[in-house]
Short mmCIF file of all heavy atoms in Angstrom, two decimals:
data_model
loop_
_atom_site.label_atom_id
_atom_site.label_comp_id
_atom_site.label_asym_id
_atom_site.label_seq_id
_atom_site.Cartn_x
_atom_site.Cartn_y
_atom_site.Cartn_z
N LEU A 1 7.50 -3.72 6.40
CA LEU A 1 8.16 -4.17 5.16
C LEU A 1 9.06 -5.37 5.41
O LEU A 1 9.11 -6.30 4.60
CB LEU A 1 8.97 -3.01 4.57
CG LEU A 1 8.18 -1.79 4.08
CD1 LEU A 1 9.14 -0.73 3.54
CD2 LEU A 1 7.18 -2.19 3.00
N SER A 2 9.77 -5.36 6.55
CA SER A 2 10.65 -6.49 6.87
C SER A 2 9.85 -7.75 7.13
O SER A 2 10.27 -8.85 6.75
CB SER A 2 11.49 -6.14 8.11
OG SER A 2 12.29 -4.99 7.88
N THR A 3 8.69 -7.61 7.76
CA THR A 3 7.81 -8.77 7.98
C THR A 3 7.35 -9.35 6.65
O THR A 3 7.34 -10.58 6.46
CB THR A 3 6.59 -8.37 8.82
OG1 THR A 3 7.03 -7.83 10.07
CG2 THR A 3 5.69 -9.55 9.07
N ALA A 4 6.94 -8.47 5.73
CA ALA A 4 6.50 -8.94 4.41
C ALA A 4 7.62 -9.67 3.69
O ALA A 4 7.39 -10.72 3.06
CB ALA A 4 6.01 -7.75 3.59
N ALA A 5 8.85 -9.14 3.79
CA ALA A 5 9.99 -9.81 3.14
C ALA A 5 10.26 -11.16 3.78
O ALA A 5 10.51 -12.16 3.09
CB ALA A 5 11.22 -8.91 3.25
N SER A 6 10.20 -11.24 5.11
CA SER A 6 10.43 -12.50 5.82
C SER A 6 9.41 -13.56 5.41
O SER A 6 9.76 -14.72 5.15
CB SER A 6 10.39 -12.26 7.33
OG SER A 6 10.56 -13.47 8.03
N ILE A 7 8.15 -13.17 5.34
CA ILE A 7 7.10 -14.12 4.98
C ILE A 7 7.24 -14.57 3.53
O ILE A 7 7.01 -15.74 3.20
CB ILE A 7 5.71 -13.49 5.23
CG1 ILE A 7 5.49 -13.31 6.74
CG2 ILE A 7 4.60 -14.36 4.65
CD1 ILE A 7 4.21 -12.58 7.08
N SER A 8 7.62 -13.65 2.65
CA SER A 8 7.79 -14.04 1.24
C SER A 8 8.94 -15.03 1.08
O SER A 8 8.83 -16.00 0.31
CB SER A 8 8.03 -12.80 0.37
OG SER A 8 9.26 -12.16 0.74
N PHE A 9 10.03 -14.83 1.81
CA PHE A 9 11.15 -15.78 1.74
C PHE A 9 10.79 -17.09 2.43
O PHE A 9 11.29 -18.16 2.05
CB PHE A 9 12.41 -15.17 2.35
CG PHE A 9 13.07 -14.16 1.47
CD1 PHE A 9 13.17 -12.83 1.86
CD2 PHE A 9 13.57 -14.52 0.22
CE1 PHE A 9 13.76 -11.89 1.05
CE2 PHE A 9 14.17 -13.58 -0.61
CZ PHE A 9 14.27 -12.26 -0.20
N LEU A 10 9.93 -17.03 3.44
CA LEU A 10 9.43 -18.26 4.05
C LEU A 10 8.66 -19.09 3.04
O LEU A 10 8.82 -20.32 2.96
CB LEU A 10 8.54 -17.93 5.25
CG LEU A 10 7.80 -19.10 5.90
CD1 LEU A 10 8.80 -20.09 6.50
CD2 LEU A 10 6.82 -18.60 6.96
N GLY A 11 7.83 -18.43 2.27
CA GLY A 11 7.09 -19.13 1.23
C GLY A 11 8.01 -19.76 0.20
O GLY A 11 7.78 -20.89 -0.25
N ALA A 12 9.09 -19.02 -0.16
CA ALA A 12 10.04 -19.58 -1.12
C ALA A 12 10.79 -20.77 -0.52
O ALA A 12 11.10 -21.74 -1.23
CB ALA A 12 11.03 -18.50 -1.55
N ALA A 13 11.05 -20.73 0.79
CA ALA A 13 11.80 -21.80 1.45
C ALA A 13 10.99 -23.08 1.55
O ALA A 13 11.52 -24.18 1.41
CB ALA A 13 12.25 -21.35 2.84
N ILE A 14 9.68 -22.95 1.80
CA ILE A 14 8.85 -24.14 1.98
C ILE A 14 8.12 -24.53 0.69
O ILE A 14 7.37 -25.50 0.68
CB ILE A 14 7.82 -23.92 3.10
CG1 ILE A 14 6.84 -22.79 2.73
CG2 ILE A 14 8.51 -23.63 4.41
CD1 ILE A 14 5.75 -22.56 3.77
N GLY A 15 8.32 -23.73 -0.36
CA GLY A 15 7.68 -24.05 -1.63
C GLY A 15 6.19 -23.79 -1.62
O GLY A 15 5.41 -24.65 -2.04
N GLY A 16 5.78 -22.63 -1.14
CA GLY A 16 4.36 -22.31 -1.04
C GLY A 16 3.83 -21.53 -2.21
O GLY A 16 3.00 -20.63 -2.06
N ASP A 17 4.31 -21.87 -3.42
CA ASP A 17 3.88 -21.13 -4.60
C ASP A 17 2.47 -21.47 -5.04
O ASP A 17 1.77 -20.65 -5.63
CB ASP A 17 4.85 -21.39 -5.77
CG ASP A 17 6.24 -20.83 -5.47
OD1 ASP A 17 6.32 -19.89 -4.66
OD2 ASP A 17 7.21 -21.34 -6.04
N GLU A 18 2.03 -22.72 -4.78
CA GLU A 18 0.73 -23.14 -5.28
C GLU A 18 -0.41 -22.43 -4.56
O GLU A 18 -1.32 -21.90 -5.17
CB GLU A 18 0.60 -24.66 -5.15
CG GLU A 18 1.52 -25.42 -6.10
CD GLU A 18 1.25 -26.91 -6.03
OE1 GLU A 18 0.32 -27.31 -5.30
OE2 GLU A 18 1.97 -27.66 -6.71
N ASP A 19 -0.39 -22.49 -3.24
CA ASP A 19 -1.44 -21.84 -2.44
C ASP A 19 -0.78 -20.88 -1.46
O ASP A 19 -0.48 -21.24 -0.33
CB ASP A 19 -2.26 -22.90 -1.70
CG ASP A 19 -3.43 -22.26 -0.95
OD1 ASP A 19 -3.68 -21.06 -1.17
OD2 ASP A 19 -4.08 -22.96 -0.16
N PHE A 20 -0.50 -19.67 -1.93
CA PHE A 20 0.17 -18.70 -1.07
C PHE A 20 -0.83 -17.89 -0.25
O PHE A 20 -0.46 -16.91 0.38
CB PHE A 20 1.06 -17.77 -1.89
CG PHE A 20 0.38 -17.08 -3.03
CD1 PHE A 20 -0.18 -15.83 -2.88
CD2 PHE A 20 0.31 -17.70 -4.28
CE1 PHE A 20 -0.80 -15.19 -3.93
CE2 PHE A 20 -0.31 -17.06 -5.34
CZ PHE A 20 -0.86 -15.80 -5.17
N SER A 21 -2.10 -18.33 -0.25
CA SER A 21 -3.08 -17.65 0.60
C SER A 21 -2.72 -17.83 2.08
O SER A 21 -3.01 -16.94 2.90
CB SER A 21 -4.49 -18.19 0.34
OG SER A 21 -4.59 -19.56 0.68
N LEU A 22 -2.09 -18.96 2.43
CA LEU A 22 -1.69 -19.19 3.82
C LEU A 22 -0.63 -18.18 4.26
O LEU A 22 -0.61 -17.76 5.42
CB LEU A 22 -1.17 -20.61 3.98
CG LEU A 22 -2.20 -21.73 3.80
CD1 LEU A 22 -1.54 -23.10 3.91
CD2 LEU A 22 -3.31 -21.60 4.84
N LEU A 23 0.24 -17.79 3.34
CA LEU A 23 1.24 -16.78 3.66
C LEU A 23 0.59 -15.43 3.92
O LEU A 23 0.98 -14.69 4.83
CB LEU A 23 2.26 -16.68 2.53
CG LEU A 23 3.07 -17.94 2.23
CD1 LEU A 23 3.96 -17.73 1.01
CD2 LEU A 23 3.91 -18.34 3.44
N LEU A 24 -0.41 -15.09 3.11
CA LEU A 24 -1.14 -13.83 3.31
C LEU A 24 -1.91 -13.88 4.62
O LEU A 24 -2.00 -12.87 5.35
CB LEU A 24 -2.08 -13.58 2.15
CG LEU A 24 -1.42 -13.23 0.82
CD1 LEU A 24 -2.43 -13.28 -0.32
CD2 LEU A 24 -0.77 -11.86 0.89
N LEU A 25 -2.46 -15.04 4.96
CA LEU A 25 -3.17 -15.19 6.22
C LEU A 25 -2.20 -15.06 7.40
O LEU A 25 -2.55 -14.48 8.44
CB LEU A 25 -3.89 -16.53 6.26
CG LEU A 25 -4.88 -16.74 7.42
CD1 LEU A 25 -6.00 -15.69 7.36
CD2 LEU A 25 -5.47 -18.14 7.37
N LEU A 26 -1.01 -15.60 7.25
CA LEU A 26 0.02 -15.46 8.29
C LEU A 26 0.39 -13.99 8.47
O LEU A 26 0.51 -13.50 9.60
CB LEU A 26 1.26 -16.27 7.92
CG LEU A 26 2.47 -16.13 8.84
CD1 LEU A 26 2.13 -16.59 10.25
CD2 LEU A 26 3.67 -16.90 8.28
N ALA A 27 0.56 -13.27 7.35
CA ALA A 27 0.86 -11.84 7.44
C ALA A 27 -0.27 -11.09 8.12
O ALA A 27 -0.03 -10.21 8.97
CB ALA A 27 1.10 -11.27 6.03
N CYS A 28 -1.51 -11.43 7.77
CA CYS A 28 -2.67 -10.80 8.40
C CYS A 28 -2.68 -11.06 9.91
O CYS A 28 -2.97 -10.16 10.71
CB CYS A 28 -3.96 -11.31 7.76
SG CYS A 28 -5.46 -10.68 8.52
N ALA A 29 -2.36 -12.31 10.31
CA ALA A 29 -2.34 -12.65 11.73
C ALA A 29 -1.27 -11.87 12.48
O ALA A 29 -1.51 -11.35 13.59
CB ALA A 29 -2.13 -14.15 11.90
N ILE A 30 -0.08 -11.76 11.89
CA ILE A 30 1.02 -11.03 12.55
C ILE A 30 0.69 -9.54 12.65
O ILE A 30 0.78 -8.93 13.72
CB ILE A 30 2.34 -11.25 11.78
CG1 ILE A 30 2.76 -12.71 11.87
CG2 ILE A 30 3.43 -10.33 12.33
CD1 ILE A 30 3.97 -13.04 11.02
N TYR A 31 0.30 -8.94 11.52
CA TYR A 31 -0.04 -7.52 11.53
C TYR A 31 -1.23 -7.25 12.44
O TYR A 31 -1.27 -6.26 13.17
CB TYR A 31 -0.36 -7.04 10.11
CG TYR A 31 0.81 -7.05 9.16
CD1 TYR A 31 0.62 -7.35 7.80
CD2 TYR A 31 2.09 -6.76 9.59
CE1 TYR A 31 1.68 -7.36 6.92
CE2 TYR A 31 3.16 -6.78 8.71
CZ TYR A 31 2.95 -7.08 7.37
OH TYR A 31 4.00 -7.08 6.50
N GLY A 32 -2.24 -8.14 12.38
CA GLY A 32 -3.43 -7.94 13.21
C GLY A 32 -3.11 -7.99 14.69
O GLY A 32 -3.59 -7.16 15.47
N ALA A 33 -2.30 -8.99 15.08
CA ALA A 33 -1.94 -9.12 16.50
C ALA A 33 -1.14 -7.90 16.97
O ALA A 33 -1.41 -7.35 18.05
CB ALA A 33 -1.14 -10.40 16.72
N LEU A 34 -0.18 -7.48 16.17
CA LEU A 34 0.62 -6.31 16.55
C LEU A 34 -0.22 -5.04 16.54
O LEU A 34 -0.08 -4.18 17.43
CB LEU A 34 1.80 -6.16 15.58
CG LEU A 34 2.92 -7.20 15.69
CD1 LEU A 34 3.90 -7.05 14.54
CD2 LEU A 34 3.64 -7.05 17.03
N GLY A 35 -1.08 -4.90 15.54
CA GLY A 35 -1.92 -3.71 15.47
C GLY A 35 -2.88 -3.61 16.63
O GLY A 35 -3.10 -2.52 17.20
N LEU A 36 -3.47 -4.73 17.03
CA LEU A 36 -4.40 -4.73 18.17
C LEU A 36 -3.65 -4.50 19.48
O LEU A 36 -4.11 -3.74 20.34
CB LEU A 36 -5.15 -6.06 18.23
CG LEU A 36 -6.20 -6.29 17.14
CD1 LEU A 36 -6.75 -7.70 17.25
CD2 LEU A 36 -7.33 -5.27 17.24
N TRP A 37 -2.51 -5.15 19.62
CA TRP A 37 -1.76 -5.02 20.87
C TRP A 37 -1.25 -3.60 21.08
O TRP A 37 -1.35 -3.04 22.17
CB TRP A 37 -0.58 -6.00 20.86
CG TRP A 37 0.30 -5.85 22.06
CD1 TRP A 37 0.02 -6.24 23.35
CD2 TRP A 37 1.60 -5.25 22.09
NE1 TRP A 37 1.07 -5.92 24.17
CE2 TRP A 37 2.06 -5.31 23.43
CE3 TRP A 37 2.42 -4.67 21.13
CZ2 TRP A 37 3.30 -4.82 23.81
CZ3 TRP A 37 3.65 -4.18 21.51
CH2 TRP A 37 4.09 -4.26 22.83
N ALA A 38 -0.72 -3.00 20.00
CA ALA A 38 -0.15 -1.66 20.11
C ALA A 38 -1.13 -0.57 19.71
O ALA A 38 -0.81 0.61 19.82
CB ALA A 38 1.10 -1.55 19.23
N ARG A 39 -2.33 -0.96 19.25
CA ARG A 39 -3.32 0.00 18.76
C ARG A 39 -2.70 0.92 17.70
O ARG A 39 -2.89 2.14 17.72
CB ARG A 39 -3.89 0.83 19.91
CG ARG A 39 -4.56 -0.02 20.97
CD ARG A 39 -5.15 0.82 22.08
NE ARG A 39 -5.70 -0.02 23.14
CZ ARG A 39 -6.31 0.44 24.23
NH1 ARG A 39 -6.45 1.74 24.41
NH2 ARG A 39 -6.77 -0.39 25.14
N SER A 40 -1.98 0.28 16.79
CA SER A 40 -1.31 1.02 15.73
C SER A 40 -2.17 0.99 14.47
O SER A 40 -2.43 -0.07 13.90
CB SER A 40 0.07 0.39 15.44
OG SER A 40 0.64 0.95 14.28
N LYS A 41 -2.60 2.15 14.03
CA LYS A 41 -3.43 2.24 12.83
C LYS A 41 -2.64 1.87 11.58
O LYS A 41 -3.19 1.27 10.65
CB LYS A 41 -3.99 3.66 12.70
CG LYS A 41 -4.92 4.05 13.83
CD LYS A 41 -5.42 5.48 13.70
CE LYS A 41 -6.32 5.85 14.87
NZ LYS A 41 -6.79 7.26 14.78
#
């Protein structure tokens, strides 16, 4: 949840309202890397 909040405020800081797919891709990359590394379902 904290990661999602950080990424959403990052989008607000850089003005990523038009194409926020990059923010979702960033979230996917962070969650994916952590999930694979820790094998967390």
